[in-house]
Amino acid sequence: MRKKSREKNIEEMDIKHKTSLEVVFLAAAATATLFLGHAALQYSHSGGDLCQNTDYKSLCRSVVRGITNPAQATEVAIKALISETIQEFEDSIDNLNTALKYLVINHDKDALNSYLSAAVTGYVTCDDTYADSGKASPLAQNTTLLGQMGSNCLALAIQIL
């Protein structure tokens, strides 16, 4: 009976985290729309190759796949960025939920630490992706806070006997 109650609490926490995550994604989408929209206007006169003046030409070309309309290319690039961002955060949420299950249900300290570490890595990866593009992450404050919270979780988990 107590185990079912804990599992229900874990499920409720998962739903709350997904709702909060939706707000983060909307903010990311809005920021990406403004940023990429400006970039598309700036480079629309690049002789037919919209990716010619980007920092990561091959990545850009693989995403926009020959689209010559800057607005369409920007839309495709934003959707690709959102997809990657969602995947990274979903992976972190999955890792946190799994860590919680290992703590509450399985009592497996090693697995708990592994999944917590993987979740924190997801936040760093998100920031690194933006840094690699030469841009500041619009989610940097959020990912910094999440990383700090994850670090605290790891420090607390180490103390479990």
Coordinates of all heavy atoms in Angstrom, one line a residue, residues 21-105:
L21 N 8.1 22.3 -17.7 CA 9.0 22.1 -18.8 C 8.4 22.8 -20.1 O 9.0 23.4 -20.9 CB 9.3 20.7 -19.1 CG 10.4 20.4 -20.1 CD1 11.7 21.0 -19.6 CD2 10.6 18.9 -20.1
E22 N 7.0 22.7 -20.2 CA 6.3 23.3 -21.3 C 6.6 24.8 -21.3 O 6.7 25.4 -22.4 CB 4.9 22.9 -21.3 CG 4.6 21.5 -21.6 CD 3.1 21.1 -21.3 OE1 2.3 22.0 -21.0 OE2 2.8 19.9 -21.5
V23 N 6.6 25.4 -20.2 CA 6.8 26.9 -20.1 C 8.2 27.2 -20.5 O 8.4 28.1 -21.3 CB 6.6 27.4 -18.6 CG1 7.0 28.8 -18.5 CG2 5.1 27.2 -18.3
V24 N 9.2 26.4 -20.1 CA 10.6 26.6 -20.6 C 10.7 26.5 -22.1 O 11.3 27.3 -22.7 CB 11.5 25.5 -19.9 CG1 12.9 25.6 -20.5 CG2 11.6 25.8 -18.4
F25 N 10.0 25.5 -22.7 CA 10.1 25.3 -24.1 C 9.4 26.5 -24.9 O 9.9 26.9 -25.9 CB 9.4 24.0 -24.5 CG 10.2 22.8 -24.1 CD1 9.5 21.7 -23.5 CD2 11.5 22.8 -24.1 CE1 10.2 20.6 -23.1 CE2 12.2 21.7 -23.7 CZ 11.6 20.6 -23.1
L26 N 8.3 27.0 -24.3 CA 7.7 28.2 -25.0 C 8.7 29.4 -24.9 O 8.8 30.1 -25.9 CB 6.4 28.5 -24.3 CG 5.2 27.6 -24.5 CD1 4.0 28.0 -23.7 CD2 4.8 27.6 -26.0
A27 N 9.3 29.6 -23.8 CA 10.3 30.7 -23.7 C 11.5 30.4 -24.7 O 11.9 31.4 -25.4 CB 10.9 30.8 -22.3
A28 N 11.9 29.2 -24.8 CA 13.0 28.9 -25.8 C 12.6 29.1 -27.2 O 13.3 29.7 -28.0 CB 13.5 27.4 -25.6
A29 N 11.3 28.7 -27.5 CA 10.8 28.9 -28.9 C 10.7 30.4 -29.2 O 11.1 30.8 -30.3 CB 9.5 28.2 -29.0
A30 N 10.2 31.2 -28.3 CA 10.1 32.6 -28.5 C 11.5 33.3 -28.7 O 11.7 34.0 -29.7 CB 9.4 33.3 -27.4
T31 N 12.4 32.9 -27.9 CA 13.8 33.4 -28.0 C 14.4 33.0 -29.4 O 15.0 33.8 -30.1 CB 14.6 33.0 -26.9 OG1 14.0 33.4 -25.7 CG2 16.0 33.6 -27.0
A32 N 14.2 31.7 -29.7 CA 14.8 31.2 -30.9 C 14.2 31.9 -32.1 O 14.8 32.2 -33.1 CB 14.6 29.7 -31.0
T33 N 12.9 32.1 -32.1 CA 12.2 32.8 -33.2 C 12.7 34.2 -33.4 O 13.0 34.5 -34.5 CB 10.7 32.9 -32.9 OG1 10.1 31.6 -32.7 CG2 9.9 33.6 -34.0
L34 N 12.9 34.9 -32.3 CA 13.5 36.3 -32.5 C 14.9 36.2 -33.0 O 15.3 36.9 -33.9 CB 13.5 37.0 -31.1 CG 12.1 37.4 -30.6 CD1 12.2 37.9 -29.2 CD2 11.4 38.4 -31.6
F35 N 15.7 35.3 -32.4 CA 17.1 35.2 -32.8 C 17.3 34.8 -34.2 O 18.0 35.4 -35.0 CB 17.9 34.3 -31.8 CG 19.3 34.0 -32.3 CD1 20.3 34.9 -32.2 CD2 19.5 32.7 -32.9 CE1 21.5 34.6 -32.6 CE2 20.8 32.4 -33.3 CZ 21.8 33.4 -33.2
L36 N 16.7 33.7 -34.6 CA 16.8 33.1 -35.9 C 16.1 34.0 -37.0 O 16.6 34.1 -38.1 CB 16.3 31.7 -36.0 CG 17.2 30.7 -35.2 CD1 16.5 29.3 -35.2 CD2 18.6 30.6 -35.8
G37 N 15.0 34.6 -36.6 CA 14.4 35.5 -37.5 C 15.3 36.7 -37.9 O 15.4 37.0 -39.1
H38 N 16.0 37.2 -37.0 CA 16.9 38.3 -37.2 C 18.1 37.8 -38.1 O 18.5 38.5 -39.1 CB 17.5 38.9 -35.9 CG 18.6 39.9 -36.1 ND1 18.3 41.2 -36.6 CD2 19.9 39.8 -35.9 CE1 19.4 41.8 -36.7 NE2 20.4 41.0 -36.3
A39 N 18.6 36.6 -37.8 CA 19.7 36.1 -38.6 C 19.3 35.8 -40.0 O 20.0 36.1 -40.9 CB 20.2 34.8 -37.9
A40 N 18.1 35.3 -40.2 CA 17.6 35.0 -41.6 C 17.5 36.3 -42.4 O 17.9 36.4 -43.5 CB 16.3 34.3 -41.5
L41 N 17.0 37.4 -41.8 CA 16.9 38.7 -42.5 C 18.3 39.2 -42.8 O 18.5 39.7 -43.9 CB 16.1 39.7 -41.6 CG 14.6 39.5 -41.5 CD1 14.1 40.5 -40.5 CD2 13.9 39.6 -42.8
Q42 N 19.2 39.0 -41.9 CA 20.6 39.6 -42.1 C 21.3 38.8 -43.2 O 22.0 39.5 -44.0 CB 21.3 39.4 -40.8 CG 22.7 40.0 -40.8 CD 23.4 39.8 -39.5 OE1 22.9 39.2 -38.5 NE2 24.7 40.2 -39.4
Y43 N 21.0 37.5 -43.4 CA 21.7 36.8 -44.4 C 20.9 36.4 -45.6 O 21.3 35.6 -46.4 CB 22.3 35.5 -43.7 CG 23.3 35.8 -42.6 CD1 23.1 35.3 -41.3 CD2 24.4 36.6 -42.8 CE1 23.9 35.6 -40.3 CE2 25.3 36.9 -41.8 CZ 25.0 36.3 -40.6 OH 25.9 36.6 -39.5
S44 N 19.8 37.0 -45.8 CA 18.9 36.6 -46.9 C 19.5 37.0 -48.3 O 19.1 36.4 -49.3 CB 17.5 37.3 -46.7 OG 17.6 38.7 -46.8
H45 N 20.5 37.8 -48.3 CA 21.1 38.2 -49.6 C 22.4 37.6 -49.7 O 23.4 38.2 -50.1 CB 21.2 39.8 -49.6 CG 19.9 40.5 -49.5 ND1 18.9 40.4 -50.5 CD2 19.4 41.2 -48.5 CE1 17.9 41.1 -50.1 NE2 18.1 41.6 -48.9
S46 N 22.5 36.3 -49.5 CA 23.8 35.6 -49.5 C 24.0 34.8 -50.8 O 24.7 33.8 -50.8 CB 24.0 34.7 -48.3 OG 22.9 33.8 -48.3
G47 N 23.3 35.2 -51.9 CA 23.4 34.5 -53.1 C 22.8 33.1 -53.2 O 23.3 32.2 -53.9
G48 N 21.7 32.9 -52.5 CA 21.0 31.7 -52.6 C 21.3 30.6 -51.6 O 20.6 29.7 -51.4
D49 N 22.5 30.8 -51.0 CA 22.9 29.8 -49.9 C 22.7 30.5 -48.6 O 23.5 31.3 -48.1 CB 24.3 29.4 -50.1 CG 24.8 28.4 -49.0 OD1 23.9 28.0 -48.2 OD2 26.0 28.1 -49.0
L50 N 21.6 30.3 -47.9 CA 21.3 30.9 -46.7 C 22.2 30.6 -45.6 O 22.4 31.3 -44.6 CB 19.8 30.6 -46.2 CG 18.7 31.0 -47.2 CD1 17.4 30.5 -46.6 CD2 18.7 32.5 -47.3
C51 N 22.9 29.5 -45.7 CA 23.9 29.0 -44.7 C 25.3 29.5 -44.9 O 26.2 29.2 -44.1 CB 23.8 27.5 -44.6 SG 22.2 26.8 -44.2
Q52 N 25.5 30.2 -46.0 CA 26.8 30.7 -46.4 C 27.5 31.5 -45.2 O 28.7 31.3 -45.0 CB 26.8 31.5 -47.6 CG 28.1 32.1 -48.1 CD 27.9 32.9 -49.3 OE1 27.0 32.7 -50.1 NE2 28.9 33.8 -49.6
N53 N 26.8 32.3 -44.5 CA 27.4 33.1 -43.5 C 27.2 32.6 -42.1 O 27.4 33.4 -41.1 CB 26.9 34.6 -43.6 CG 27.3 35.2 -44.9 OD1 28.5 35.0 -45.4 ND2 26.4 35.9 -45.6
T54 N 26.8 31.4 -41.9 CA 26.6 30.8 -40.6 C 27.9 30.3 -40.1 O 28.8 30.0 -40.8 CB 25.5 29.7 -40.6 OG1 26.0 28.6 -41.4 CG2 24.2 30.2 -41.1
D55 N 28.0 30.1 -38.8 CA 29.2 29.6 -38.2 C 29.3 28.1 -38.4 O 30.4 27.5 -38.5 CB 29.2 29.8 -36.6 CG 29.3 31.3 -36.3 OD1 30.0 32.0 -37.1 OD2 28.8 31.7 -35.3
Y56 N 28.2 27.4 -38.6 CA 28.2 25.9 -38.7 C 27.4 25.6 -40.0 O 26.3 25.1 -40.0 CB 27.5 25.3 -37.5 CG 28.3 25.7 -36.2 CD1 27.9 26.7 -35.5 CD2 29.5 25.0 -35.9 CE1 28.6 27.1 -34.4 CE2 30.2 25.3 -34.8 CZ 29.8 26.4 -34.0 OH 30.5 26.8 -32.9
K57 N 28.1 25.8 -41.1 CA 27.5 25.7 -42.4 C 26.9 24.3 -42.7 O 25.8 24.1 -43.2 CB 28.5 26.0 -43.5 CG 28.9 27.5 -43.5 CD 30.1 27.8 -44.5 CE 30.6 29.2 -44.4 NZ 30.9 29.7 -43.1
S58 N 27.7 23.2 -42.4 CA 27.2 21.9 -42.7 C 26.0 21.5 -41.9 O 25.1 20.9 -42.4 CB 28.3 20.9 -42.6 OG 28.8 20.8 -41.2
L59 N 26.0 21.9 -40.6 CA 24.9 21.7 -39.8 C 23.6 22.5 -40.3 O 22.6 21.9 -40.4 CB 25.1 22.1 -38.3 CG 24.0 22.1 -37.4 CD1 23.4 20.6 -37.2 CD2 24.4 22.6 -36.0
C60 N 23.8 23.7 -40.6 CA 22.8 24.6 -41.2 C 22.2 23.9 -42.4 O 21.0 23.8 -42.6 CB 23.3 26.0 -41.5 SG 22.1 27.1 -42.2
R61 N 23.1 23.5 -43.3 CA 22.6 22.9 -44.6 C 21.9 21.6 -44.4 O 20.9 21.3 -45.1 CB 23.8 22.8 -45.6 CG 24.3 24.1 -46.1 CD 25.5 23.9 -47.0 NE 26.0 25.2 -47.4 CZ 27.2 25.7 -47.3 NH1 28.2 24.9 -46.8 NH2 27.6 26.9 -47.7
S62 N 22.3 20.9 -43.4 CA 21.6 19.6 -43.1 C 20.2 19.8 -42.5 O 19.4 19.0 -42.7 CB 22.5 18.7 -42.2 OG 22.5 19.2 -40.9
V63 N 20.1 20.9 -41.9 CA 18.8 21.2 -41.3 C 17.8 21.9 -42.3 O 16.7 21.5 -42.4 CB 18.9 22.2 -40.1 CG1 17.6 22.7 -39.6 CG2 19.7 21.5 -38.9
V64 N 18.3 22.9 -43.1 CA 17.4 23.6 -44.0 C 17.3 22.9 -45.4 O 16.4 23.2 -46.1 CB 17.8 25.1 -44.2 CG1 17.7 25.8 -42.8 CG2 19.1 25.2 -44.8
R65 N 18.2 22.0 -45.7 CA 18.1 21.1 -46.9 C 17.7 21.8 -48.1 O 16.8 21.5 -48.8 CB 17.2 20.0 -46.6 CG 17.6 19.1 -45.5 CD 16.7 17.9 -45.4 NE 17.1 17.2 -44.1 CZ 16.2 16.9 -43.2 NH1 14.9 17.2 -43.3 NH2 16.6 16.3 -42.1
G66 N 18.5 22.9 -48.5 CA 18.3 23.6 -49.8 C 17.1 24.6 -49.8 O 16.9 25.1 -50.9
I67 N 16.5 24.8 -48.7 CA 15.4 25.8 -48.7 C 16.0 27.2 -49.0 O 17.1 27.5 -48.5 CB 14.7 25.8 -47.3 CG1 14.0 24.5 -47.1 CG2 13.7 27.0 -47.3 CD1 13.5 24.4 -45.7
T68 N 15.4 27.9 -49.9 CA 15.9 29.2 -50.3 C 15.2 30.4 -49.7 O 15.6 31.5 -49.8 CB 16.0 29.3 -51.8 OG1 14.7 29.1 -52.4 CG2 17.0 28.3 -52.4
N69 N 14.0 30.1 -49.2 CA 13.2 31.2 -48.5 C 13.7 31.3 -47.1 O 13.6 30.4 -46.3 CB 11.7 30.8 -48.6 CG 10.8 31.8 -48.0 OD1 11.0 32.1 -46.8 ND2 9.9 32.3 -48.7
P70 N 14.2 32.5 -46.7 CA 14.7 32.7 -45.4 C 13.7 32.4 -44.3 O 14.0 31.9 -43.2 CB 15.1 34.1 -45.3 CG 15.3 34.6 -46.7 CD 14.3 33.7 -47.5
A71 N 12.4 32.8 -44.5 CA 11.4 32.6 -43.5 C 11.1 31.1 -43.3 O 11.0 30.6 -42.1 CB 10.1 33.3 -43.8
Q72 N 11.1 30.3 -44.4 CA 10.9 28.9 -44.3 C 12.1 28.2 -43.6 O 11.9 27.3 -42.8 CB 10.6 28.3 -45.7 CG 9.3 28.7 -46.2 CD 9.1 28.1 -47.7 OE1 10.1 27.8 -48.3 NE2 7.9 28.0 -48.1
A73 N 13.3 28.6 -44.0 CA 14.5 28.1 -43.4 C 14.6 28.3 -41.9 O 14.9 27.5 -41.2 CB 15.7 28.6 -44.1
T74 N 14.2 29.5 -41.6 CA 14.2 29.9 -40.1 C 13.2 29.0 -39.4 O 13.5 28.5 -38.3 CB 13.8 31.4 -40.0 OG1 14.8 32.2 -40.7 CG2 13.8 31.8 -38.5
E75 N 12.0 28.9 -40.0 CA 11.0 28.0 -39.3 C 11.5 26.6 -39.1 O 11.4 26.0 -38.0 CB 9.7 28.0 -40.1 CG 8.6 27.2 -39.5 CD 7.3 27.1 -40.3 OE1 7.2 27.9 -41.3 OE2 6.4 26.4 -40.0
V76 N 12.1 26.0 -40.1 CA 12.6 24.7 -40.1 C 13.7 24.6 -39.0 O 13.8 23.7 -38.2 CB 13.1 24.2 -41.4 CG1 14.0 22.9 -41.3 CG2 12.0 24.0 -42.4
A77 N 14.6 25.6 -39.0 CA 15.7 25.6 -38.0 C 15.2 25.8 -36.6 O 15.7 25.1 -35.7 CB 16.7 26.8 -38.3
I78 N 14.2 26.6 -36.4 CA 13.6 26.7 -35.0 C 13.0 25.4 -34.6 O 13.2 25.0 -33.5 CB 12.5 27.8 -35.0 CG1 13.2 29.2 -35.2 CG2 11.7 27.8 -33.7 CD1 12.2 30.3 -35.4
K79 N 12.2 24.8 -35.5 CA 11.6 23.5 -35.1 C 12.7 22.4 -34.8 O 12.5 21.7 -33.9 CB 10.7 23.0 -36.2 CG 9.4 23.9 -36.3 CD 8.5 23.4 -37.4 CE 7.2 24.2 -37.5 NZ 6.4 23.8 -38.6
A80 N 13.8 22.5 -35.5 CA 14.8 21.5 -35.3 C 15.5 21.8 -33.9 O 15.8 20.9 -33.1 CB 15.9 21.6 -36.4
L81 N 15.7 23.1 -33.6 CA 16.3 23.4 -32.3 C 15.3 23.1 -31.2 O 15.8 22.5 -30.1 CB 16.6 25.0 -32.3 CG 17.1 25.5 -31.0 CD1 18.4 24.8 -30.6 CD2 17.3 27.0 -31.1
I82 N 14.0 23.3 -31.3 CA 13.0 23.0 -30.3 C 13.1 21.5 -30.1 O 13.1 21.0 -29.0 CB 11.6 23.5 -30.7 CG1 11.6 25.0 -30.6 CG2 10.6 22.8 -29.8 CD1 10.3 25.6 -31.1
S83 N 13.1 20.7 -31.2 CA 13.1 19.3 -31.1 C 14.3 18.8 -30.3 O 14.2 17.9 -29.4 CB 13.1 18.6 -32.5 OG 13.2 17.3 -32.4
E84 N 15.5 19.3 -30.6 CA 16.7 18.9 -29.9 C 16.6 19.3 -28.4 O 17.0 18.6 -27.5 CB 17.9 19.6 -30.5 CG 18.3 19.0 -31.9 CD 18.7 17.5 -31.8 OE1 19.4 17.1 -30.8 OE2 18.2 16.8 -32.6
T85 N 16.1 20.5 -28.1 CA 16.0 21.0 -26.8 C 15.0 20.1 -26.0 O 15.3 19.7 -24.8 CB 15.5 22.5 -26.7 OG1 16.4 23.3 -27.5 CG2 15.4 23.0 -25.3
I86 N 13.9 19.8 -26.6 CA 12.9 19.0 -25.9 C 13.5 17.6 -25.6 O 13.4 17.1 -24.5 CB 11.6 18.8 -26.8 CG1 10.8 20.1 -26.8 CG2 10.8 17.6 -26.3 CD1 9.7 20.1 -27.8
Q87 N 14.2 17.1 -26.6 CA 14.8 15.7 -26.4 C 15.8 15.8 -25.2 O 15.8 14.9 -24.4 CB 15.5 15.3 -27.7 CG 16.1 13.9 -27.5 CD 15.1 12.8 -27.2 OE1 14.1 12.7 -27.9 NE2 15.3 12.0 -26.2
E88 N 16.6 16.8 -25.2 CA 17.6 16.9 -24.1 C 17.0 17.0 -22.7 O 17.4 16.3 -21.8 CB 18.5 18.1 -24.3 CG 19.9 18.0 -23.7 CD 20.7 16.8 -24.1 OE1 20.9 16.6 -25.3 OE2 21.1 16.1 -23.2
F89 N 15.9 17.9 -22.6 CA 15.2 18.0 -21.3 C 14.4 16.8 -21.0 O 14.3 16.4 -19.8 CB 14.4 19.3 -21.3 CG 15.2 20.5 -21.0 CD1 15.8 21.3 -21.9 CD2 15.4 20.9 -19.6 CE1 16.5 22.4 -21.6 CE2 16.1 22.0 -19.3 CZ 16.7 22.7 -20.3
E90 N 13.8 16.2 -22.0 CA 13.0 14.9 -21.7 C 14.0 13.8 -21.2 O 13.6 13.1 -20.3 CB 12.3 14.5 -23.0 CG 11.1 15.2 -23.3 CD 10.3 14.7 -24.5 OE1 10.9 14.0 -25.3 OE2 9.2 15.1 -24.7
D91 N 15.2 13.8 -21.8 CA 16.1 12.8 -21.3 C 16.5 13.1 -19.8 O 16.6 12.1 -19.0 CB 17.4 12.8 -22.1 CG 17.2 12.2 -23.5 OD1 16.1 11.6 -23.8 OD2 18.1 12.4 -24.4
S92 N 16.7 14.3 -19.5 CA 17.0 14.7 -18.1 C 15.8 14.3 -17.2 O 16.0 13.8 -16.1 CB 17.3 16.2 -18.0 OG 18.6 16.4 -18.6
I93 N 14.6 14.6 -17.6 CA 13.4 14.3 -16.8 C 13.3 12.8 -16.6 O 13.1 12.3 -15.5 CB 12.1 14.9 -17.4 CG1 12.1 16.4 -17.2 CG2 10.9 14.3 -16.7 CD1 11.0 17.1 -18.0
D94 N 13.5 12.0 -17.7 CA 13.5 10.6 -17.6 C 14.6 10.1 -16.6 O 14.3 9.2 -15.8 CB 13.7 9.9 -18.9 CG 12.5 10.1 -19.9 OD1 11.4 10.4 -19.4 OD2 12.7 9.9 -21.1
N95 N 15.8 10.7 -16.7 CA 16.8 10.3 -15.8 C 16.5 10.6 -14.3 O 16.8 9.8 -13.4 CB 18.2 10.9 -16.2 CG 18.7 10.3 -17.4 OD1 18.6 9.1 -17.6 ND2 19.3 11.1 -18.3
L96 N 15.9 11.7 -14.1 CA 15.5 12.1 -12.7 C 14.4 11.2 -12.2 O 14.4 10.8 -11.0 CB 15.0 13.6 -12.7 CG 16.1 14.6 -12.9 CD1 15.5 16.0 -13.0 CD2 17.1 14.6 -11.7
N97 N 13.4 10.9 -13.0 CA 12.4 10.0 -12.6 C 12.9 8.6 -12.3 O 12.5 7.9 -11.3 CB 11.2 9.9 -13.6 CG 10.3 11.1 -13.6 OD1 10.0 11.6 -12.5 ND2 9.9 11.5 -14.7
T98 N 13.9 8.1 -13.1 CA 14.5 6.8 -12.8 C 15.3 6.9 -11.5 O 15.3 5.9 -10.7 CB 15.4 6.4 -14.0 OG1 14.5 6.4 -15.2 CG2 16.0 5.1 -13.8
A99 N 16.0 8.0 -11.3 CA 16.8 8.1 -10.1 C 15.9 8.1 -8.9 O 16.2 7.4 -7.9 CB 17.6 9.5 -10.1
L100 N 14.8 8.8 -9.0 CA 13.8 8.8 -7.9 C 13.3 7.4 -7.6 O 13.2 7.0 -6.4 CB 12.6 9.7 -8.2 CG 11.7 10.1 -7.1 CD1 12.5 10.7 -5.9 CD2 10.7 11.1 -7.6
K101 N 13.0 6.6 -8.6 CA 12.6 5.2 -8.5 C 13.6 4.4 -7.8 O 13.3 3.6 -6.9 CB 12.1 4.6 -9.8 CG 10.8 5.2 -10.3 CD 10.5 4.7 -11.7 CE 9.2 5.5 -12.2 NZ 8.9 5.2 -13.5
Y102 N 14.9 4.6 -8.2 CA 16.0 3.8 -7.6 C 16.2 4.2 -6.1 O 16.6 3.4 -5.3 CB 17.3 4.0 -8.3 CG 17.4 3.0 -9.5 CD1 17.3 3.5 -10.8 CD2 17.6 1.7 -9.3 CE1 17.4 2.6 -11.9 CE2 17.7 0.8 -10.3 CZ 17.5 1.3 -11.6 OH 17.6 0.4 -12.7
L103 N 15.9 5.4 -5.8 CA 15.9 5.9 -4.4 C 14.8 5.3 -3.5 O 15.0 4.7 -2.5 CB 15.9 7.4 -4.3 CG 15.8 8.0 -2.9 CD1 17.0 7.7 -2.0 CD2 15.5 9.5 -2.9
V104 N 13.6 5.5 -4.0 CA 12.4 5.2 -3.3 C 12.0 3.7 -3.3 O 11.7 3.1 -2.3 CB 11.2 6.1 -3.7 CG1 9.9 5.7 -3.0 CG2 11.5 7.5 -3.5
I105 N 12.1 3.1 -4.5 CA 11.6 1.8 -4.6 C 12.7 0.7 -4.6 O 12.6 -0.3 -3.8 CB 10.8 1.6 -6.0 CG1 9.6 2.6 -6.0 CG2 10.4 0.2 -6.2 CD1 8.9 2.8 -7.3

